[in-house]
Amino acid sequence: MELELQGISKRVGAQSWLYTMDLAPKRNAVTVLLGATQAGKTSLMRIMAGLDTPTRGVVRVNGQDVTGVSVRDRNVAMVYQQFINYPSLRVADNIASPLKLRGEKNIDERVRALAQRLHIDGFLDRYPAELSGGQQQRVALARALAKGAPLMLLDEPLVNLDYKLREELREELSELFAAGDSTVIYATTEPGEALLLGGHTAVMDAGELLQYGPTAEVFHAPKSLRVARAFSDPPMNLIAAAASSHGVQLKAGPALSIRLPAVLAQQATTALTVGVRASALRLQESAGDVPLAGRVELAEISGSDTFVHLSTAVGEVVAQLGGVHRFMLGTALTLQLNPAHVYVFDAQGTLLVAPQRRGGH
């Protein structure tokens, strides 16, 4: 399915839920809608599905205007945070229902294969009321996948699952999406989920579409501070700076200046913001590094990484260090920053400099 939104906006009373935007998700691929709660992701998906009509603009499917066409007259599969299953049907029959409507063959085999991939094959003979919320969500997801609709809308489908299962299912879903031929729209608040799913990402904030493109490109070259904030977990470190003859001068004084590998435009003489991802800060020093000395305010271990919050002369910064590190509160610590990993934004928040990607990746 080829979906295209032209000049879409949505107002409810005096409030703008969606500001005017154009979006043409890639056909037979995954488009991730990334943004915080109330960014407008669900409102946009409801318009895509035909559940709501935009205040202005046109929705086209395969070139045909379907703006006023009801969801009942569209071939769409949907899974929302609030899962919906048929309470009177067993799990197996819930999953099989769209296959039976199409008169498919080998239904039992296909149901079991989907159930195995979503880790619910042990519950096929149960009713939804006998399952946990996370299990019911997976049943709804399996039924949507079984439908094989040309447009699949998934609104944070893994949010009700525990961390370990979310990690497993993200990989499973990536494979299922790649093997299918549906256009998939996947909404999430988690930057890591967008990176894992790949495809293309549309970054949204407060009803605005900020940037759309291949996921890796949007992550490595956010065109504005707003995009960088939305597409960073933990949040990007932002440091006040000013332009200098060789790069940027951090607010702490002459001792903290960064010689940039990229040249700033001549007009970039006003206040600047330097952005540094937490993963770019290290303990080991390399040639050309800029040291950020400070004291440990907080150190938390998450999985195989340690997140260190450091109070420095340029404000609090967060470093994501690989491995398990234990730091006492108040410990003096120096982090190292390589200038090649720095982002620079102008006073309006527009990207001026982005780190060069090795080998184009």
Side-chain angles (χ1 to χ4, degrees), residues 3 5 8 10 17-18 21 23 25 30-34 39-54 59 71 74 76-81 151-157 183-189 202 204:
L3 175 68
L5 310 180
I8 290 295
K10 180 69 175 180
W17 286 18
L18 293 173
M21 64 181 71
L23 181 63
V30 179
T31 289
V32 178
L33 303 183
L34 174 65
K41 304 185 298 296
T42 299
S43 297
L44 186 58
M45 294 178 87
R46 288 180 63 85
I47 289 174
M48 292 177 176
L51 289 166
D52 289 338
T53 302
V59 180
V71 63
R74 302 192 198 183
V76 178
M78 297 177 289
V79 177
Y80 291 100
Q81 294 178 32
L151 177 61
M152 187 176 299
L153 304 172
L154 306 174
D155 191 357
E156 298 189 60
T183 298
V184 179
I185 312 296
Y186 189 108
T188 182
T189 60
M204 300 184 66

Side-chain angles (χ1 to χ4, degrees), residues 10 20 41 87 98 148-149 180 194 198 218 227 258 272 276 336:
K10 180 69 175 180
T20 303
K41 304 185 298 296
V218 177
V227 176
I258 299 177
L272 303 175
V276 183
Q336 303 296 332

Side-chain angles (χ1 to χ4, degrees), residues 20-358:
T20 303
M21 64 181 71
D22 298 320
L23 181 63
K26 291 297 179 181
R27 185 174 182 174
N28 298 346
V30 179
T31 289
V32 178
L33 303 183
L34 174 65
T37 302
Q38 296 186 332
K41 304 185 298 296
T42 299
S43 297
L44 186 58
M45 294 178 87
R46 288 180 63 85
I47 289 174
M48 292 177 176
L51 289 166
D52 289 338
T53 302
T55 303
R56 289 186 178 179
V58 177
V59 180
R60 297 187 188 279
V61 171
N62 298 331
Q64 181 179 356
D65 185 349
V66 297
T67 310
V69 177
S70 167
V71 63
R72 294 185 179 184
D73 298 317
R74 302 192 198 183
N75 192 359
V76 178
M78 297 177 289
V79 177
Y80 291 100
Q81 294 178 32
Q82 301 303 319
F83 46 82
I84 299 174
N85 293 306
Y86 301 114
S88 62
L89 298 181
R90 295 176 308 129
V91 168
D93 295 322
N94 263 281
I95 300 172
S97 57
L99 299 173
K100 291 177 179 177
L101 285 173
R102 293 203 307 268
E104 296 280 344
K105 297 180 179 179
N106 303 320
I107 290 178
D108 289 345
E109 181 181 331
R110 295 182 61 183
V111 166
R112 188 164 295 279
L114 270 174
Q116 286 177 342
R117 299 200 77 160
L118 294 172
H119 308 286
I120 51 174
D121 48 310
F123 310 122
L124 290 174
D125 289 327
R126 297 189 187 181
Y127 290 91
E130 299 175 296
L131 305 180
S132 69
Q135 290 162 351
Q136 291 189 56
Q137 180 73 316
R138 280 177 276 161
V139 174
L141 185 54
R143 191 174 68 252
L145 290 167
K147 186 174 182 180
L151 177 61
M152 187 176 299
L153 304 172
L154 306 174
D155 191 357
E156 298 189 60
L158 308 183
V159 72
N160 293 321
L161 308 182
D162 63 67
Y163 176 80
K164 182 178 180 181
L165 187 56
R166 281 205 309 270
E167 292 296 300
E168 293 177 8
L169 288 185
R170 282 169 182 160
E171 296 184 14
E172 293 283 3
L173 288 177
S174 295
E175 295 175 8
L176 284 167
F177 295 156
D181 55 4
S182 296
T183 298
V184 179
I185 312 296
Y186 189 108
T188 182
T189 60
E190 300 183 32
E193 197 162 50
L195 288 169
L196 183 60
L197 291 171
H200 284 58
T201 290
V203 179
M204 300 184 66
D205 180 52
E208 293 184 63
L209 175 60
L210 303 182
Q211 188 172 348
Y212 175 64
T215 297
E217 290 185 14
V218 177
F219 178 78
H220 289 292
K223 70 178 186 180
S224 69
L225 264 174
R226 291 176 69 189
V227 176
R229 288 192 182 101
F231 210 162
S232 293
D233 185 22
M236 182 181 286
N237 297 295
L238 301 176
I239 303 168
S244 68
S245 59
H246 59 268
V248 292
Q249 182 89 33
L250 303 186
K251 70 175 184 179
L256 284 174
S257 60
I258 299 177
R259 186 177 296 275
L260 292 175
V263 179
L264 285 173
Q266 289 289 328
Q267 63 268 30
T269 56
T270 56
L272 303 175
T273 298
V274 167
V276 183
R277 294 198 186 275
S279 57
L281 295 170
R282 308 179 318 279
L283 293 176
Q284 298 77 21
E285 182 179 2
S286 299
D289 280 357
V290 175
L292 289 176
R295 293 192 177 275
V296 175
E297 297 287 339
L298 175 66
E300 50 188 347
I301 298 170
S302 176
S304 59
D305 292 327
T306 303
F307 294 87
V308 182
H309 299 247
L310 203 70
S311 177
T312 75
V314 297
E316 183 177 299
V317 298
V318 180
Q320 181 179 357
L321 306 177
V324 175
H325 304 268
R326 301 190 185 279
F327 301 103
M328 297 292 293
L329 298 185
T331 300
L333 190 67
T334 298
L335 298 171
Q336 303 296 332
L337 168 62
N338 188 315
H341 297 155
V342 162
Y343 293 83
V344 181
F345 302 90
D346 67 15
Q348 287 71 46
T350 303
L351 180 68
L352 299 176
V353 175
Q356 292 186 347
R357 297 166 62 187
R358 295 180 182 176

